[in-house]
Amino acid sequence: MKDDGLENNGACVVGRIMPGARYSHEAYGERFYRADILACRASGITDIIPLMVFEKVADLERGCPDSIIEVIGQFRSYNRKEEGKSRLELFVFVQGIRYLDDGYVGCGNNNLVCLKGFLCKAPTYRRTPLGREIADILLAVNRPYGKSDYIPCICWGRDAVLASRLDVGSAVEVTGRIQSREYTKKLSEAEEEMRVAYEVSVCRMETVDVQRG
């Protein structure tokens, strides 16, 4: 993740590609596909992380569907309109894929994301029943041409305390991993739906000087 293009947003995920890559959309003459990668944490818990891949990078349907792969890119967001409401969707925009040997042994760097951006809403600080400190932040990460990605992050311990003291507009750098989390969305009094939320679980956060623009 040392490429200049990934200076303020870099993601690297290693795991097994899941079957069922599907067409997403076409932009500027490029066809884009959605797929999912299964990444394992050191604890044994797995995260299902969505990918956005353009056709020239890889053909995930006819490739090696059971292979271990490494994807490098950016963790991005997209506001999808759903029944008149906006729903934030998150995915790794893949800029490179490397197929690894069958004998690859995972390590602690299987899922790594580094972001530099600005707090775009006030942090939410709380304690668990066991006294663990947690803070939720929403980070705006700039892209070229005036675009931004909005990335939910969860901070722990001292990073949570630091986050709780920051104001909207504060510039920070975070390092962590992308995690998936199931939750129940209540659609009506009689109807519920299981959904998956994605966020960055922060392992390190620092305040930094980041130029806007």
Side-chain angles (χ1 to χ4, degrees):
M1 291 187 294
K2 295 182 180 180
D3 189 297
D4 291 340
L6 306 180
E7 183 178 353
N8 69 333
N9 185 339
C12 178
V13 181
V14 175
R16 289 190 183 276
I17 194 71
M18 299 183 68
R22 58 270 184 205
Y23 173 77
S24 172
H25 66 282
E26 184 170 333
Y28 304 106
E30 295 278 5
R31 292 169 62 87
F32 288 82
Y33 291 82
R34 300 292 296 260
D36 296 302
I37 189 171
L38 191 64
C40 186
R41 303 183 198 175
S43 64
I45 297 174
T46 55
D47 292 294
I48 299 174
I49 300 171
L51 307 176
M52 182 72 71
V53 186
F54 63 90
E55 197 170 28
K56 289 183 180 179
V57 169
D59 187 335
L60 295 177
E61 288 283 21
R62 293 194 296 271
C64 303
D66 199 40
S67 293
I68 300 288
I69 66 169
E70 176 188 68
V71 298
I72 294 176
Q74 296 183 328
F75 196 35
R76 293 186 177 182
S77 68
Y78 170 71
N79 268 319
R80 181 165 67 88
K81 298 295 183 181
E82 185 180 80
E83 298 179 352
K85 298 180 179 179
S86 292
R87 180 178 174 183
L88 189 68
E89 292 196 354
L90 297 158
F91 53 88
V92 175
F93 182 80
V94 178
Q95 295 169 312
I97 292 178
R98 182 165 66 103
Y99 287 86
L100 303 177
D101 295 336
D102 290 338
Y104 173 84
V105 177
C107 63
N109 292 326
N110 279 358
N111 181 345
L112 180 66
V113 60
C114 300
L115 304 170
K116 290 182 182 178
F118 303 90
L119 270 65
C120 56
K121 64 184 296 186
T124 302
Y125 173 84
R126 64 191 188 279
R127 286 179 180 266
T128 68
L130 296 178
R132 192 175 190 188
E133 294 171 298
I134 303 174
D136 298 307
I137 62 174
L138 185 64
L139 201 61
V141 180
N142 290 339
R143 262 199 257 165
Y145 310 110
K147 295 184 178 180
S148 296
D149 295 295
Y150 297 91
I151 311 298
C153 303
I154 183 167
C155 306
W156 312 88
R158 286 182 290 183
D159 288 330
V161 174
L162 171 60
S164 70
R165 297 171 178 166
L166 298 177
D167 298 320
V168 173
S170 297
V172 298
E173 178 178 1
V174 302
T175 302
R177 60 175 171 78
I178 302 168
Q179 68 179 21
S180 59
R181 172 175 53 84
E182 287 190 344
Y183 70 99
T184 302
K185 173 72 173 180
K186 190 169 184 177
L187 303 178
S188 66
E189 289 297 326
E191 188 179 5
E192 294 181 340
E193 181 181 80
M194 288 298 298
R195 292 185 176 180
V196 180
Y198 303 96
E199 60 199 359
V200 172
S201 179
V202 176
C203 65
R204 181 183 61 82
M205 182 173 70
E206 299 177 352
T207 56
V208 294
D209 292 327
V210 179
Q211 292 184 351
R212 295 179 182 271

